[in-house]
Amino acid sequence: MSALRFFVALALQLTACSSQYKYGPEQSWDLDSISELKSKEFWFHDAQRTLYNKLSTPPNQYRAKNVIFFLGDGMSVPTVTAGRIFDGQLRGVVGERNRLEFEKFNYVGLSKTYCANKQVADSACTASAYLSGIKANYLTIGVTADVELNDCKGSRLPQNRLSSIAAWALKGSKSAGLVTTTRVTHASPAGVYAHTSNRDFESDYDVTKLGQNPGNCPDIAQQLIDGEVGKRLRVVMGGGTIKFLPNTTTDVYGNKGQRLDNRNLIEEWQQTKPGNARVVFNRTDLLNNDPQNTDFLLGLFNASHLAYHMDDSIDTPTLSEMTAAAINVLSRDPNGYFLFVEGGRIDHAHHETKAKKALDETVQFSDAVRKARQLTNPWDTLIVVSADHGHTVTISGYPDVNNSIVGLNSELSNVDQLPYTAISYANGPAYERFYQSTDGEVERVDLRTLDFSNPNAMYPHGVPMTEETHGGGDVAVYAHGPWSHLFTGVYEQSTLPHLMGFASCLGPGITYCDLQPKARYTP
């Protein structure tokens, strides 16, 4: 029996069974009450529905016309779990039963995140891995592990420069773009287009401040304007105006630029683009922009990183809105596109141990994935969701089901009889908020005296640090669309662009088109 006939027969059989066992696709996963969790029948039907969904979804082996890679910066597996619960509790359902948008994908794997020289990675070396397919050194971007930190000469050697999947897309006559909630020159988005021996070389001012010569170390903002990949990106959205403006001018927000070379890179970007190149600085202008009359789009929505969603910044677009705008512009290319989308402030909130903000940014990230699914065709668009690295955040103790994930645990410590939070960190700042010394004894502060309803609430941790660190655990990879079944298993993070390249017939490695020269985009 052919694979197609098998799945048709299986689908018919499953459809007949679904009504009997109550596991059809129309059934909601949400629970309004935890009482159903006590039911034996509930768990039986739940497991059968999961089986039904897996058996009724044949692998998609068509060529990917478009590839969208979503990167949740610092989105560890515990962050996903806590984000799922947080989102569900906000919506008034049992949080544990909730699913973030990318958790609905059928194919999930695990990615190993270490750098070439560090057991626990940063966002720079990981960007080289998941965008270029080669592991690199800590703090470097887009260069091989032969380049050490601040090795400007080595970073400029052609043999040491890596080629990102965005470059592969452009070489394959597709369009490319990036969206982020951080500065567009920050480590993760820089991996799309830059080559640098130090992630902090974001402007020529930064290069000089760090003791290097900008003439020998091209800064990241300059590479976005002049670089072979950067200058060809059709969509660039995020923050960071000060990295592009001279220190003799101010941006639209009233902030002084940083550049020492007197170049206004924003004006240069617009002047050097063919066709209609639009620059927008706020949500209103972005939403009013006509994508059908836009060939290139640059959106810079803050002097530095975009504000946290919870801070309700005036006229700042959401990640979903930026994602939609990017897809609408890039979709004009009949050959397809590669789009990088980063929820970058998940990471920043974790560094501050502001768990509520980290989880809210995770929910915003999930919403952006949902928007992308609504705007694309699953037959010809591969969507991959992952993280660059984890954090030290954990969910611990034995809280009751549907206990507030951002509140106090339903249990007390069995040593000091004091409450502890459901979420905590292995290390972090401001230890004096959580520990006090009494008669020479170090004791925990009674957390009932702190306000964890505040979005800026910091959460307890163990080891005192100036900021919380990354975690070294594997991170999850979620895939949907053409060849998404390849993303299962446990593999090196550097495998990711090779898998995406195979599905979309891009890059220097083996591709689907090598096996099937007349590969089609859709059935």
Side-chain angles (χ1 to χ4, degrees), residues 122-128 131-132 136-144 147 155 160-162 185-202 220 223:
D122 79 318
S123 294
C125 69
T126 52
S128 300
L131 287 168
S132 298
N137 290 328
Y138 182 68
L139 301 179
T140 68
I141 303 171
V143 292
T144 70
V147 177
S155 70
N160 290 340
R161 292 198 156 197
L162 302 177
T185 51
H186 210 233
S188 302
V192 173
Y193 61 88
H195 312 276
T196 181
S197 59
N198 190 324
R199 59 177 288 175
D200 291 329
F201 291 165
E202 294 187 51
I220 295 172
Q223 293 185 55

Side-chain angles (χ1 to χ4, degrees), residues 7-17:
F7 278 107
V8 169
L10 180 63
L12 292 172
Q13 182 66 31
L14 289 171
T15 300
C17 293

Side-chain angles (χ1 to χ4, degrees), residues 205-268:
Y205 166 81
D206 297 320
V207 176
T208 303
K209 181 181 177 182
L210 292 167
Q212 302 295 326
N213 182 351
N216 299 326
C217 278
D219 63 88
I220 295 172
Q222 177 187 333
Q223 293 185 55
L224 180 57
I225 305 305
D226 298 336
E228 287 304 308
V229 174
K231 67 183 180 183
R232 297 176 63 192
L233 297 175
R234 286 193 173 270
V235 175
V236 176
M237 281 188 281
T241 56
I242 59 174
K243 305 297 181 182
F244 295 87
L245 296 176
N247 59 11
T248 55
T249 63
T250 57
D251 65 11
V252 295
Y253 315 107
N255 299 287
K256 188 177 179 181
Q258 282 190 344
R259 300 198 65 80
L260 306 177
D261 57 10
N262 205 37
R263 293 179 66 182
N264 185 322
L265 298 182
I266 298 174
E267 288 184 355
E268 290 185 29

Side-chain angles (χ1 to χ4, degrees), residues 274-291:
N276 189 5
R278 291 293 312 280
V279 179
V280 293
F281 295 105
N282 57 63
R283 177 177 183 265
T284 300
D285 288 347
L286 177 66
L287 298 185
N288 288 335
N289 183 60
D290 178 9

Side-chain angles (χ1 to χ4, degrees), residues 67-214:
V67 177
I68 306 177
F69 181 56
F70 280 90
L71 192 282
D73 199 314
M75 192 179 70
S76 60
V77 173
T79 301
V80 174
T81 304
R84 167 202 314 151
I85 297 172
F86 179 75
D87 178 52
Q89 290 176 341
L90 286 178
R91 297 191 298 110
V93 299
V94 178
E96 288 80 357
R97 287 290 301 172
N98 185 42
R99 293 188 300 172
L100 298 174
E101 187 66 24
F102 49 87
E103 293 185 284
K104 300 171 186 176
F105 293 2
N106 282 323
Y107 300 103
V108 182
L110 288 174
S111 161
K112 298 191 282 185
T113 64
Y114 62 94
C115 328
N117 65 340
K118 286 283 186 178
Q119 194 172 69
V120 178
D122 79 318
S123 294
C125 69
T126 52
S128 300
Y130 62 69
L131 287 168
S132 298
I134 306 293
K135 292 215 173 190
N137 290 328
Y138 182 68
L139 301 179
T140 68
I141 303 171
V143 292
T144 70
D146 290 328
V147 177
E148 300 292 340
L149 181 65
N150 295 329
D151 178 9
C152 294
K153 181 179 179 180
S155 70
R156 300 184 70 177
L157 295 175
Q159 64 267 30
N160 290 340
R161 292 198 156 197
L162 302 177
S163 178
S164 75
I165 188 172
W168 305 351
L170 294 169
K171 186 176 180 179
S173 299
K174 295 180 183 291
S175 293
L178 68 86
V179 170
T180 179
T181 53
T182 69
R183 295 187 296 270
V184 297
T185 51
H186 210 233
S188 302
V192 173
Y193 61 88
H195 312 276
T196 181
S197 59
N198 190 324
R199 59 177 288 175
D200 291 329
F201 291 165
E202 294 187 51
S203 70
D204 62 342
Y205 166 81
D206 297 320
V207 176
T208 303
K209 181 181 177 182
L210 292 167
Q212 302 295 326
N213 182 351

Side-chain angles (χ1 to χ4, degrees), residues 471-492:
D474 296 350
V475 296
V477 181
Y478 310 83
H480 177 73
W483 295 97
S484 51
H485 56 288
L486 297 182
F487 291 81
T488 58
V490 181
Y491 40 79
E492 300 288 354

